[in-house]
């Protein structure tokens, strides 16, 4: 897994995805914004066209496919609806198309990151965000027990750079393991 995050793939160019992508680019990260709806990408391009001089040392590019967006990403963050089917589909796509170093991250108030991570080839590299990214408040980074220390460290530094201090929290929604059940 990556030790330093420089390249950020943002999947979903709706309002929340655009705001997050812009925040990343303004903080100096190289951002690739992707959306399945070409109209959303056109809207984002128009919105960001006047901002290119305000992106510090970062950059903003646009991709028409998830594969193009995550090809070199250190972290991929999706902004698809917070529904199990949508999250499973996007995690599966990113997991197959991104290099092994890529951290998978998803904003989710309802789903267990342990369950989502278990459906990937990188359960030690998956995180969930809880909290209001737009408000700039402290956020919580939920992680499965198996998440590597490198991933937790890189993600903490990344979100701190975005002025979004993160509290690392083991997934409270993780299913109970069978080994914790004692025979009668």
């Amino acid at each position: 897994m990556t030790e330093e995050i420089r390249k950020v793939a943002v999947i979903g160019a709706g309002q929340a995805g655009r705001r997050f992508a812009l925040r990343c680019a303004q903080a100096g990260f190289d951002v690739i914004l992707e959306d399945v709806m070409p109209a959303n990408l056109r809207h984002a391009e128009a919105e960001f066209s006047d901002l290119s001089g305000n992106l510090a040392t970062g950059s903003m590019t646009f991709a028409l496919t998830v594969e193009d967006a995550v090809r070199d990403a250190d972290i991929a963050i999706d902004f698809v609806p917070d529904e199990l089917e949508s999250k499973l589909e996007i995690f599966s796509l990113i997991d197959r198309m991104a290099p092994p170093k890529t951290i998978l991250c998803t904003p989710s108030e309802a789903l267990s990151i342990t369950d989502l991570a278990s459906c990937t080839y990188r359960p030690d590299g998956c995180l969930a965000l809880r909290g209001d990214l737009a408000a700039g408040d402290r956020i919580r980074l939920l992680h499965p027990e198996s998440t590597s220390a490198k991933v937790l460290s890189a993600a903490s530094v990344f979100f701190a750079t975005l002025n979004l201090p993160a509290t690392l929290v083991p997934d409270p929604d993780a299913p109970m393991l069978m080994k914790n059940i004692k025979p009668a």
Side-chain angles (χ1 to χ4, degrees):
M1 290 288 162
T2 193
E3 292 185 26
E4 180 184 14
I5 295 172
R6 293 295 324 136
K7 295 183 179 186
V8 181
V10 177
I11 310 302
Q15 190 175 24
R18 286 194 313 269
R19 276 195 316 259
F20 188 78
L22 180 59
R23 184 179 207 142
C24 292
Q26 287 175 327
F29 294 97
D30 297 323
V31 179
I32 300 175
L33 181 61
E34 185 276 341
D35 198 291
V36 296
M37 303 289 291
N40 284 348
L41 283 179
R42 283 193 302 273
H43 188 79
E45 283 183 283
E47 188 176 318
F48 298 151
S49 65
D50 297 334
L51 300 174
S52 60
N54 296 334
L55 297 183
T57 58
S59 66
M60 175 83 68
T61 56
F62 303 93
L64 295 173
T65 67
V66 171
E67 183 176 17
D68 288 341
V70 301
R71 180 171 293 138
D72 297 318
D74 297 316
I75 189 168
I77 303 172
D78 79 83
F79 285 88
V80 302
D82 196 12
E83 302 162 348
L84 182 60
E85 294 81 14
S86 297
K87 294 294 186 183
L88 284 173
E89 181 178 351
I90 198 66
F91 256 50
S92 176
L93 276 170
I94 295 170
D95 189 41
R96 283 193 327 262
M97 296 176 182
K101 69 174 181 171
T102 306
I103 297 169
L104 305 185
C105 189
T106 187
S108 180
E109 295 294 330
L111 302 173
S112 165
I113 190 60
T114 302
D115 286 344
L116 289 172
S118 72
C119 298
T120 71
Y121 291 108
R122 62 184 92 209
D124 61 335
C126 297
L127 303 167
L129 291 168
R130 293 216 174 142
D132 189 353
L133 291 171
D137 294 334
R138 180 170 282 280
I139 58 171
R140 292 180 297 146
L141 274 178
L142 279 56
H143 59 88
E145 246 180 64
S146 64
T147 305
S148 76
K150 282 183 182 180
V151 166
L152 295 175
S153 175
S156 294
V157 170
F158 170 70
F159 285 104
T161 304
L162 296 176
N163 202 23
L164 291 168
T167 302
L168 299 172
V169 180
D171 184 4
D173 302 319
M176 290 200 34
L177 300 175
M178 293 301 287
K179 67 180 183 181
N180 291 336
I181 300 173
K182 301 201 185 310

